[in-house]
Amino acid sequence: MGNYKRITTHVLQRMKEAGEKISMLTAYDYTLARIVDAAGIDVILVGDSASNVMAGHETTLPITLDQMIYHAASVIRAVRRALVVVDLPFGTYQGDPLGALKSAIRIMKEAEAHAVKMEGGREVLDAIEKTVKAGIPVMGHLGLTPQAIYKFGTYTVRAREAAEARKLKEDALLLQEAGCFAVVLEKIPAQLAAEVTVSLRIPTIGIGAGGAVDGQVLVLHDMLGLNKEFSPRFLRRYLDLHTAVTQAVQQYIDDVRTGDFPNENEQY
Ligand code: KIV
């Protein structure tokens, strides 16, 4: 189990069929991507959450295609095993299948990424179909799709109501038929995510979607505890790096001020 030399979309399919859970984390830079890949993660997502995490924007909307390519190329240079999926940023594919294909081609060519991700269901089906037909693997993303935050008006759980849940189930099947190799399900009821997962041949990757999906994804900086402000129920923090980094920096300042750093062994 889990002894794959290189993760491809076909490996993910085999993992679903074998009941092996898929692990996925975000990364946006060379140094952390190297650690995450060497630790054995299956999929690295160069998410447009880079807009929040790396650039400090309030939403994912401002990040540009050039910026995504910069992050993706840095990650790709670090990775030996994981499948690297890159978000198409807001405004590069919605209502524009040819634009989607051109954006995806730039990501594949300039960053040498392995796949792209697009948010939305039937609204972006043409864009997904055109991209898949060109030989580019596409991951779908349903539920809370942050690029549509101004339409939703809130980051609360999606598809609690029957009509939205029905549409999400239909959209998941449409994405599968359009050729997506996997679908992210973000912040939806666990029961709905479970139903979608059994209805699909392709893997589902959940974030705030319960345990009955085929894999899980978290934002790396959140699970490392670098961010103290963001505490949704689904987030498990594996470290408190905010405290650890603060203490290290304070110790360094102290050592510089007192002359403790550098000592005799730390000079030439
Ligand atoms: O951009 C991102 O990090 C994402 C994940 C939260 C799924 O889309």
Side-chain angles (χ1 to χ4, degrees), residues 27-46:
Y28 319 103
D29 70 285
Y30 175 82
T31 303
L32 284 174
R34 233 180 129 175
I35 296 171
V36 170
D37 182 60
I41 202 77
D42 296 316
V43 185
I44 292 181
L45 173 66
V46 183

Side-chain angles (χ1 to χ4, degrees), residues 113-135:
H114 309 144
V116 299
K117 176 161 82 60
M118 297 188 214
E119 295 184 5
R122 62 199 67 183
E123 312 81 15
V124 295
L125 220 53
D126 292 352
I128 291 174
E129 272 164 358
K130 203 168 184 70
T131 307
V132 171
K133 270 192 199 136

